[in-house]
Amino acid sequence: MTHKKNNTKKKKKNPKAQKGKLNRNTNQISSYKNPLVRASIKFFIFSMLIFGGLYYSDYKGYFDSEKRLDYISKAWDSFDHFTEKNNVDIILLGNSHMFANINPKNLSMTLGANAFALGGPGSAQHDLYFCLKEALKKCKPSLVVLETFSMNNAPLHQDIPHELTHQLNSFSGRNDIITKIISTPILFSADQFGYAWSKTIRNHNYIFSNTKQLKANKKLIEQGNNKQKKNQKLYLGQLIYYTKGMQDTTVAKFNSIKAPVDGGEYTYNKYTEKYTDKIIELCENNGIEIMFFTNPMYEKNIKDYHKWKSKLSKLLNKYNKKWLDLQQNYSSEDFPPICFQNSYNHPNQHLTHLGALVATYKLADFIKANYISLLPLRQTDIEWHKLFYGQDGYFENFSPVKQDKNNKVLPIHPDIKSNFLKEVIISTQKNNKGQEFLKVIAKLERNQIKAKPNSMDVMMVLAYVENGVEKYANLVLKYDIFHKPSDYIIYSQNIKSIDVRGVKYFAFINKQ
């Protein structure tokens, strides 16, 4: 038997290749054993755990501050939500002297435009510049109203605790990541970056100092309500600080003690000028008109305001922009003590909710006189009316729709022959306890009234039905100094909820 030889040759192992492979494996094993590499890997894993924990804590909101301090987040969330379907025609830009002292809803309804207040408590020009920069990514305004109280001596990097807190809250509330990254090194020093980007780092002291807030946040998280839902109600950025005006004792202090604010001490720094320049430039590059606006403090709260204005004018005059200054030569008839917070020794005095209405209508008149051609006429848009319908100030400016049973125009008896009584509206409203009442609103043609409105009251007889029987009620309406539409003078009064059917009698009476 013949045996065939197997011609298949066995491949010889390359000792060099084997050695190279062995060396690579040995090097990999050695690299893992290298203390520096192992330390780097541990540091990376540890860092990821820390950042992951911070992100989770921030996302859940364990260290969120109380809701009132989180106003800025609410404002920016509402702004982003509003601009998904609507344009903002007027941006009200400033610190609390803007968003607490102007009512953007009433301004919008008076002008037939969309106004929104942006900024933060204590915001200076450099912070407002980035607010505006972010806002312009979402809307194309025709006008920016820049409040002047933000033009001050604030440094770029705050180190005063409460001022730094304001700047941190303003930064935290904004939502655009790119704008926040760009603004971080400008608004904060390197050691403040962590505080700016993480509420957990910023408010970690809650563990020892504010366990009550931690427990409240935890309860919200457990209920699944920790993240604030987008506000479906119309919210345009106003924060109401004060609802009660100055008391007689406070007014007496102003009459007997020197003013707490010296206008001669006002000053601003190079950062104010630099970022005012940048705000103006940003508006001009985007084809946006801009004006300056000064909200008032109580006239006796400031000594020598003309010195303040003189210094500020050196900055503002170079821009050749219009300036509405309500602090100068304002009338106590327009801004009585009820319009100001009840505080004497307060260099940063604010308007009350009612005072903000007075300032709002004055701003509206100024915008109508100077910029109305820039604004859209949204009064003709049904969808726009749906946004504002029933809001505070709506029925002072517009009529209710016919199918609305809770708000309606009252029929006026034909014997009442008046060329200045435009209409009478009853509006169903609720007080703080949820109890319903009626607000009676009489609109009089402004150009037909020759006497001073505050020198007179309005006498009216209303017909109403009770238990199937028609009855009559005498009613005295007072001049509304807070709602001042351009075309009408408003007289109003609140009454209990009854079934009002019409107006039987109308006349002016002298005030008692």
Side-chain angles (χ1 to χ4, degrees):
M1 181 179 285
T2 306
H3 294 278
K4 292 182 179 180
K5 292 183 179 178
N6 188 355
N7 294 326
T8 305
K9 296 182 178 179
K10 292 184 179 180
K11 291 183 179 180
K12 295 183 178 179
K13 295 183 179 179
N14 188 337
K16 291 184 178 180
Q18 286 291 99
K19 185 176 181 182
K21 185 178 180 181
L22 182 61
N23 288 339
R24 285 195 299 271
N25 292 335
T26 304
N27 290 337
Q28 289 177 357
I29 295 172
S30 299
S31 64
Y32 290 129
K33 291 183 177 181
N34 187 306
L36 183 60
V37 173
R38 293 175 65 186
S40 299
I41 294 172
K42 289 181 179 179
F43 177 78
F44 176 79
I45 295 173
F46 184 68
S47 299
M48 289 300 99
L49 289 173
I50 291 177
F51 286 120
L54 288 174
Y55 175 81
Y56 179 80
S57 177
D58 287 341
Y59 175 78
K60 284 292 188 179
Y62 282 104
F63 288 85
D64 280 0
S65 57
E66 60 177 318
K67 294 301 178 185
R68 185 173 179 274
L69 297 178
D70 207 25
Y71 142 79
I72 304 169
S73 294
K74 177 184 177 183
W76 278 106
D77 288 347
S78 295
F79 177 81
D80 290 348
H81 177 65
F82 184 83
T83 52
E84 287 176 1
K85 296 182 179 179
N86 308 279
N87 187 49
V88 173
D89 307 307
I90 303 171
I91 290 180
L92 307 169
L93 193 63
N95 54 32
S96 57
H97 278 255
M98 176 61 85
F99 65 75
N101 288 359
I102 288 294
N103 188 319
K105 287 184 182 179
N106 275 265
L107 185 67
S108 299
M109 287 181 278
T110 306
L111 295 174
N114 295 330
F116 207 107
L118 291 172
S123 289
Q125 294 300 85
H126 40 279
D127 185 56
L128 296 178
Y129 167 72
F130 289 106
C131 284
L132 180 59
K133 197 172 181 68
E134 178 166 334
L136 295 186
K137 292 186 176 184
K138 294 290 185 74
C139 67
K140 295 181 179 179
S142 301
L143 177 67
V144 169
V145 182
L146 182 60
E147 215 282 329
T148 61
F149 203 80
S150 59
M151 300 174 185
N152 50 42
N153 214 24
L156 276 183
H157 301 153
Q158 285 284 1
D159 54 5
I160 301 174
H162 71 277
E163 297 293 347
L164 176 59
T165 298
H166 289 326
Q167 194 153 303
L168 288 168
N169 286 335
S170 179
F171 177 86
S172 178
R174 293 194 275 118
N175 294 322
D176 185 68
I177 298 299
I178 301 300
T179 308
K180 291 179 75 169
I181 291 173
I182 294 171
S183 63
T184 298
I186 296 174
L187 298 176
F188 305 104
S189 57
D191 61 321
Q192 297 169 347
F193 288 0
Y195 295 101
W197 282 92
S198 172
K199 289 183 179 180
T200 302
I201 295 176
R202 187 187 321 156
N203 299 325
H204 67 276
N205 60 300
Y206 282 5
I207 296 173
F208 306 103
S209 63
N210 197 353
T211 54
K212 183 178 179 181
Q213 186 64 49
L214 280 177
K215 290 178 181 178
N217 291 342
K218 183 180 178 183
K219 184 177 180 180
L220 287 174
I221 292 167
E222 290 172 350
Q223 294 172 349
N225 299 324
N226 57 301
K227 296 303 292 180
Q228 181 182 354
K229 296 179 180 179
K230 287 185 177 180
N231 196 344
Q232 299 300 318
K233 294 182 180 179
L234 183 66
Y235 181 71
L236 300 179
Q238 185 189 24
L239 178 63
I240 299 174
Y241 273 161
Y242 304 100
T243 56
K244 295 182 179 179
M246 290 200 301
Q247 298 176 357
D248 292 341
T249 53
T250 305
V251 175
K253 285 184 179 180
F254 280 109
N255 292 332
S256 60
I257 308 175
K258 69 177 183 178
V261 179
D262 186 351
E265 295 179 353
Y266 168 78
T267 185
Y268 60 87
N269 59 25
K270 61 180 181 179
Y271 302 116
T272 289
E273 186 165 9
K274 176 182 177 180
Y275 281 92
T276 303
D277 286 346
K278 290 175 78 67
I279 290 173
I280 299 293
E281 182 182 8
L282 185 60
C283 288
E284 290 178 345
N285 289 343
N286 286 274
I288 303 167
E289 188 57 76
I290 186 170
M291 62 166 283
F292 302 116
F293 176 62
T294 303
N295 247 317
M297 293 185 276
Y298 184 55
E299 59 182 336
K300 294 183 179 180
N301 197 58
I302 303 179
K303 171 189 174 184
D304 294 334
Y305 175 70
H306 66 280
K307 294 181 180 178
W308 183 324
K309 186 176 178 92
S310 178
K311 292 179 183 177
L312 187 54
S313 296
K314 293 179 181 179
L315 171 64
L316 300 189
N317 286 347
K318 74 174 186 175
Y319 302 116
N320 194 28
K321 302 295 181 183
K322 297 185 185 300
W323 180 10
L324 174 59
D325 184 359
L326 296 184
Q327 184 66 63
Q328 188 175 40
N329 301 324
Y330 78 82
S331 168
S332 57
E333 184 176 298
D334 292 331
F335 288 100
I338 195 175
C339 290
F340 301 96
Q341 72 176 93
N342 185 42
S343 175
Y344 164 70
N345 192 18
H346 202 305
N348 186 23
Q349 189 185 45
H350 290 80
L351 294 171
T352 60
H353 175 58
L354 294 176
L357 285 175
V358 177
T360 297
Y361 282 104
K362 287 185 175 294
L363 176 58
D365 289 342
F366 187 85
I367 292 175
K368 277 188 175 181
N370 295 281
Y371 303 105
I372 194 64
S373 61
L374 302 178
L375 301 177
L377 299 176
R378 300 190 186 277
Q379 300 97 322
T380 60
D381 184 355
I382 295 176
E383 294 303 316
W384 181 82
H385 279 276
K386 289 180 181 178
L387 278 174
F388 290 92
Y389 191 82
Q391 301 286 335
D392 176 33
Y394 183 87
F395 296 122
E396 282 80 1
N397 288 276
F398 302 102
S399 303
V401 296
K402 291 182 179 180
Q403 60 267 32
D404 188 346
K405 295 181 180 180
N406 293 320
N407 307 283
K408 57 186 178 181
V409 178
L410 293 177
I412 299 175
H413 196 278
D415 288 346
I416 300 176
K417 297 179 180 180
S418 171
N419 61 347
F420 47 76
L421 181 58
K422 171 67 176 177
E423 66 182 8
V424 179
I425 295 172
I426 56 168
S427 174
T428 303
Q429 301 187 10
K430 291 184 178 181
N431 59 23
N432 294 333
K433 297 180 179 179
Q435 299 168 331
E436 285 191 353
F437 66 91
L438 297 180
K439 183 176 184 179
V440 182
I441 302 169
K443 297 181 183 178
L444 282 67
E445 297 281 359
R446 184 173 291 277
N447 57 8
Q448 296 293 326
I449 306 298
K450 305 304 179 183
K452 286 188 175 183
N454 62 349
S455 67
M456 305 175 293
D457 293 332
V458 164
M459 169 66 77
M460 193 176 290
V461 176
L462 299 180
Y464 69 99
V465 174
E466 185 178 60
N467 297 325
V469 179
E470 184 174 83
K471 297 183 179 181
Y472 302 95
N474 295 331
L475 182 65
V476 176
L477 283 74
K478 302 292 183 179
Y479 170 56
D480 187 344
I481 70 170
F482 304 110
H483 291 95
K484 295 183 179 180
S486 300
D487 298 331
Y488 309 123
I489 293 174
I490 304 294
Y491 285 82
S492 63
Q493 188 62 269
N494 296 337
I495 62 174
K496 68 179 182 179
S497 185
I498 55 177
D499 185 10
V500 182
R501 297 296 178 90
V503 180
K504 292 295 184 181
Y505 177 78
F506 169 90
F508 285 110
I509 58 174
N510 292 324
K511 292 180 69 173
Q512 300 296 326

